[in-house]
Amino acid sequence: HRFDANVAKCTEVAKLNVMQARSDDALVTLRQQRRRFDFIYIDASHVAIDVLHDAVMSWQMLDQGGLLVFDDYSWRGFIEDCYNPRTAVRAFIKCARPEVECIETESQLWVKRVPNCIPATPNPDPALYYWDKGTAKHVL
């Protein structure tokens, strides 16, 4: 296994939490256990929607200063770009932008969780909050 060979190189192997399960099941279990991590390595499904799910679930458990690594970031196994991992990772990064620093390698993207550097600014026009059937409508 390539995974076992990579894990064998780890100097902190005793700290690894290796789970053999579907990532969506494993991440739900870890969230229910209120687990926190300083390093999360995502190497599961290569379908964009699955990658996005794993990213969001993992981010909620990643400590500030922690690293989230997306393997196969540049993998292009589908003609339609909407299915490839890079599409999901870019969407995730766009949403998490205030709290990320990124380093791209040949096939991976390393994301460090940093303190929020872009405070949210509320829109001053409440009519723009929500739209209902083409008519502006403020919803509480």
Side-chain angles (χ1 to χ4, degrees):
H1 264 152
R2 188 176 83 174
F3 175 82
D4 294 328
N6 289 337
V7 167
K9 298 174 193 173
C10 181
T11 58
E12 301 288 340
V13 72
K15 293 182 179 180
L16 290 178
N17 181 19
V18 178
M19 299 174 71
Q20 262 190 314
R22 290 181 43 93
S23 61
D24 53 349
D25 295 333
L27 290 167
V28 167
T29 297
L30 292 169
R31 286 268 299 148
Q32 288 171 340
Q33 295 172 352
R34 300 191 191 297
R35 298 290 303 272
R36 302 293 304 168
F37 299 94
D38 58 10
F39 184 83
I40 299 173
Y41 189 89
I42 297 179
D43 185 14
S45 171
H46 288 68
V47 177
I49 197 73
D50 297 336
V51 173
L52 184 57
H53 175 268
D54 290 353
V56 171
M57 291 290 290
S58 296
W59 192 252
Q60 295 169 342
M61 294 182 282
L62 187 66
D63 289 333
Q64 195 169 72
L67 292 169
L68 177 58
V69 181
F70 295 94
D71 195 38
D72 300 321
Y73 171 66
S74 57
W75 185 82
R76 296 184 55 89
F78 301 103
I79 299 296
E80 302 83 6
D81 200 41
C82 63
Y83 293 111
N84 291 314
R86 182 184 301 255
T87 300
V89 174
R90 285 182 173 169
F92 170 74
I93 294 301
K94 186 173 184 175
C95 293
R97 174 61 57 206
E99 297 181 80
V100 300
E101 289 177 359
C102 298
I103 299 171
E104 187 174 348
T105 67
E106 185 176 318
S107 65
Q108 297 176 332
L109 186 72
W110 290 62
V111 178
K112 182 176 182 180
R113 187 168 196 166
V114 298
N116 187 323
C117 64
I118 306 172
T121 306
N123 190 326
D125 185 353
L128 297 177
Y129 288 168
Y130 297 96
W131 291 86
D132 183 37
K133 296 184 183 177
T135 305
K137 179 180 177 184
H138 184 240
V139 179
L140 298 177

